[in-house]
């Protein structure tokens, strides 16, 4: 992957996609620093991968700046940053509270801004790369996902703006947008989806991915593969792009689903 000896900071690395990125980056020879709010989870990832753990709340400016400074002081440089911190806040527009809205934006959007602002001087020096972990929720509207979808869409555009502004200085900034991926956060969502319908987590996953061309959710490592490619030199002319890794979810035309699955009503279709 061309990451041997590179210094990579992975934020939101206590579990799920962030932990998978940390593991794969370390296996590729990178010097990896993992960060997030849960010290115990980070230390487990660090122990399993050989990474260094630096707990921090990336929604707080001072903690982000201290985190980046610590990485550079310890390793002498910073070549790659992965912004994978995220939270799902459910609720329709009339139901979601101010605090919930602000929490979603700070965790999913503002954290990317704070992290990029602190890291960019070092990424410019190293001609490095920023990869933001977004979501296809930022591309498709779904009831009850206003805060999450808006924050992920914002993070995606912010990342592309960074590419436009700092590409001339050698920095690449891209977004990976996963579909449903088997993480702790997604498991909890599946419990919430499934309980009202008498479905367990596995049954809820099956329902949620029934129209995905690959008929399953992704594994965290499959998303990490895309992140590592964007961090490394094999994507050297990829900048400001959105790489969708969703098993074909967003390729499906919902208007033809009844036809595709043989569910169309008999007789002529109503206008």
């Amino acid at each position: 992957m061309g990451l041997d000896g590179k210094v990579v900071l992975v934020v939101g690395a206590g579990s799920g996609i962030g932990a998978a990125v940390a593991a794969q980056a370390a296996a590729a020879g990178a010097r990896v620093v993992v960060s997030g709010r849960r010290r115990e989870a980070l230390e487990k990832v660090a122990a399993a991968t050989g990474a260094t753990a630096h707990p921090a709340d990336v929604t707080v400016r001072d903690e982000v700046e201290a985190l980046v400074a610590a990485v550079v002081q310890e390793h002498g440089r910073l070549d790659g940053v992965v912004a994978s911190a995220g939270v799902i806040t459910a609720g329709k527009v009339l139901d979601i509270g101010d605090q919930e809205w602000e929490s979603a934006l700070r965790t999913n959007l503002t954290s990317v801004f704070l992290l990029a602002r602190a890291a960019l001087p070092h990424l410019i020096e190293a001609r490095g790369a920023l990869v933001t972990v977004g979501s296809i929720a930022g591309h498709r509207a779904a009831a009850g996902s206003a805060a999450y979808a808006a924050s992920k869409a914002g993070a995606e555009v912010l990342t592309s703006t960074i590419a436009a502004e700092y590409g001339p200085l050698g920095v690449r900034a891209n977004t990976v947008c996963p579909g449903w991926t088997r993480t702790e956060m997604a498991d909890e969502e599946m419990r919430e989806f499934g309980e009202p319908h008498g479905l367990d987590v596995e049954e809820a996953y099956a329902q949620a991915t029934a129209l995905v061309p690959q008929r399953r959710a992704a594994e965290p490592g499959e998303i990490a593969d895309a992140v590592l490619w964007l961090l490394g030199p094999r994507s050297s002319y990829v900048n400001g792009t959105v790489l969708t890794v969703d098993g074909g979810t967003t390729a499906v035309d919902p208007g033809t689903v009844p036809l595709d699955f043989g569910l169309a009503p008999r007789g002529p279709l109503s206008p």
Side-chain angles (χ1 to χ4, degrees), residues 94-149:
L94 289 178
D95 301 327
I96 192 168
D98 292 351
Q99 186 173 354
E100 295 169 305
W101 175 264
E102 292 293 341
S103 175
L105 263 64
R106 286 204 66 80
T107 303
N108 299 337
L109 173 56
T110 301
S111 68
V112 179
F113 168 72
L114 294 175
L115 186 59
R117 188 171 63 180
L120 272 167
H122 308 289
L123 293 178
I124 291 169
E125 183 177 351
R127 300 183 72 83
L130 166 70
V131 180
T132 297
V133 178
S135 171
I136 62 170
H139 301 169
R140 298 288 189 272
S145 66
Y148 182 70

Side-chain angles (χ1 to χ4, degrees), residues 2 127 133 135 141 145 165 176 183 196 204 209 216 227 237:
R127 300 183 72 83
V133 178
S135 171
S145 66
E165 291 178 343
V176 171
T183 64
T209 60
R216 64 175 177 86
V227 173
Y237 201 59

Side-chain angles (χ1 to χ4, degrees), residues 22-23 182:
R182 286 180 173 271

Side-chain angles (χ1 to χ4, degrees), residues 42-236:
L42 288 174
E43 289 177 348
K44 287 181 179 179
V45 172
T49 63
T52 303
H54 279 281
D57 184 343
V58 290
T59 69
V60 178
R61 181 190 64 188
D62 290 348
E63 292 196 32
V64 173
E65 292 177 352
L67 168 64
V68 171
V71 173
V72 175
Q73 181 177 12
E74 182 175 339
H75 295 283
R77 59 186 295 136
L78 181 57
D79 300 282
V81 174
V82 179
S84 185
V87 62
I88 293 178
T89 301
K92 295 183 179 180
V93 171
L94 289 178
D95 301 327
I96 192 168
D98 292 351
Q99 186 173 354
E100 295 169 305
W101 175 264
E102 292 293 341
S103 175
L105 263 64
R106 286 204 66 80
T107 303
N108 299 337
L109 173 56
T110 301
S111 68
V112 179
F113 168 72
L114 294 175
L115 186 59
R117 188 171 63 180
L120 272 167
H122 308 289
L123 293 178
I124 291 169
E125 183 177 351
R127 300 183 72 83
L130 166 70
V131 180
T132 297
V133 178
S135 171
I136 62 170
H139 301 169
R140 298 288 189 272
S145 66
Y148 182 70
S151 60
K152 286 295 187 178
E156 180 181 310
V157 176
L158 170 61
T159 303
S160 295
T161 301
I162 292 168
E165 291 178 343
Y166 298 98
L169 298 179
V171 175
R172 294 185 301 108
N174 296 287
T175 302
V176 171
C177 283
W180 280 115
T181 306
R182 286 180 173 271
T183 64
E184 291 179 4
M185 191 164 64
D187 287 351
E188 184 57 35
E189 283 295 293
M190 289 302 163
R191 289 188 189 94
E192 294 181 9
F193 288 156
E195 283 179 2
H197 306 287
L199 303 175
D200 62 22
V201 170
E202 290 302 316
E203 291 168 331
Y205 268 117
Q207 289 288 329
T209 60
L211 301 184
V212 177
Q214 289 189 241
R215 302 295 192 272
R216 64 175 177 86
E219 296 296 333
E222 293 178 298
I223 311 304
D225 285 336
V227 173
L228 258 67
W229 180 70
L230 288 171
L231 282 175
R234 294 182 183 178
S235 60
S236 59

